[in-house]
Structures are given as structure tokens and as C-alpha cells.
Amino acid sequence: MDATKRKITKIAREVSKFTVRTMRAEGIGAGEFDVLHAVRKNPGITQAGVCRITGLDKGAVARQTANLEAKGYLERRENPGDGRSRLLYATEKAESLKTSKAQIETAFYEWLLSPLPESDRAEFSRILETLYLRCKAESQADFPEMTAKMKGGEEHGNE
């Protein structure tokens, strides 16, 4: 039974809705955020690489990268290793957008935690950091424990 009742997911979804609504005013859609994030984290990535990271199909990535390039958030450069493909890079404009997005999320989380006493905020943050580090380690290991759990294998780390 999920003791959290998926509240972490539900909070993240509400923050995302607010962030997307706010960023849409700057002309960036939700799907474009994912593509831009993949390019920012992987400078010099190809569109095929963006597809692998985001799970989006080739057509969607092609449209979104073209839109982001037209808006000045991405640039394409020749791939010295393969004349058929182009490499994608985030522009300075994209980097300032990332800061904007982070600022929106930060403001939302600060607002959300503001009614809590400082001691509760500190304890919540400590626990959240523990959970985040566990999650990140599982992700970096390519999700071995969760994959086994979903396949009905043994549960690990729950002693």
C-alpha cells in the first residue's frame, strides 16, 4: 500500500501546471520544455538522442526542435563525425529560460512550505533529500530494483 497516496506526484503535477502556464506566456510549450531540457543537459546531442531521452517520436522532436530554433532557444551545428546529422545546442536565451523556470518552481515551493514552522520545513527537507538521493541512485543504476519489483522479482532494500 502506498502510504504517500502519490502526493509527491500530485504536488509535482500542480507545480508543473503552474510552471507551464507561466512559461506559455513566454511562448514555450510543455513538450518543448522536455526537448530543451534534454539539449541543455546534453550539449551537442542529435535529434535521435533527444528521442531516446524524452521518449518522443522523431516527428515530434523534429517539430519541437524547429520551433525552438525559430524562437532562438536552440541552434544546430554541423556534426564533424557524421555529415548527415546536425548537433543541437541551447542558446543563451534558453539558459535564461531555464533560470526562469527554476525561479517559478522555487517560488511555488517556498509558497507551499511557508505555513510550516521552520523546524517542520527543515525536517521535511531532510527527509526529502534522503528520498531524492535514493531515487537518483536507482535511476543512475538504470532502475534495477524497481525493474525487478515490477517484474514480480524480489524486493531489495526494504529490510
Side-chain angles (χ1 to χ4, degrees):
M1 171 140 171
D2 177 15
T4 71
K5 298 182 181 168
R6 298 182 49 251
K7 295 262 175 22
I8 295 169
T9 301
K10 292 173 182 179
I11 290 169
R13 188 178 302 131
E14 298 305 324
V15 173
S16 180
K17 280 196 283 189
F18 177 73
T19 302
V20 167
R21 178 186 302 166
T22 303
M23 296 310 296
R24 196 167 280 142
E26 292 190 38
I28 300 293
E32 291 173 330
F33 275 137
D34 295 337
V35 170
L36 196 52
H37 181 72
V39 173
R40 281 189 42 263
K41 292 290 184 184
N42 302 279
I45 192 170
T46 62
Q47 283 186 187
V50 173
C51 291
R52 279 190 300 279
I53 290 171
T54 63
L56 297 169
D57 65 53
K58 287 170 36 175
V61 169
R63 283 188 304 280
Q64 290 171 353
T65 54
N67 289 342
L68 289 166
E69 187 177 20
K71 293 174 186 177
Y73 293 108
L74 290 182
E75 66 180 22
R76 297 173 198 260
R77 299 182 195 157
E78 289 193 26
N79 183 347
D82 179 0
R84 297 170 297 157
S85 68
R86 310 265 297 182
L87 305 178
L88 300 169
Y89 294 89
T91 64
E92 213 171 290
K93 184 176 180 181
E95 294 302 327
S96 69
L97 180 64
K98 172 238 174 195
T99 303
S100 249
K101 183 176 185 246
Q103 288 171 345
I104 294 165
E105 292 169 343
T106 297
F108 195 102
Y109 286 120
E110 286 174 354
W111 168 83
L112 187 61
L113 295 175
S114 66
L116 299 177
E118 179 55 39
S119 60
D120 287 355
R121 281 184 287 201
E123 180 64 4
F124 177 74
S125 295
R126 184 192 66 74
I127 293 168
L128 195 57
E129 178 71 7
T130 300
L131 295 174
Y132 170 74
L133 292 174
R134 183 169 193 229
C135 179
K136 191 66 175 178
E138 178 72 358
S139 173
Q140 289 174 336
D142 200 26
F143 303 102
E145 292 187 40
M146 285 307 305
T147 300
K149 182 177 181 76
M150 297 309 293
K151 290 181 179 176
E154 278 186 39
E155 291 186 39
H156 301 283
N158 291 330
E159 289 115 24

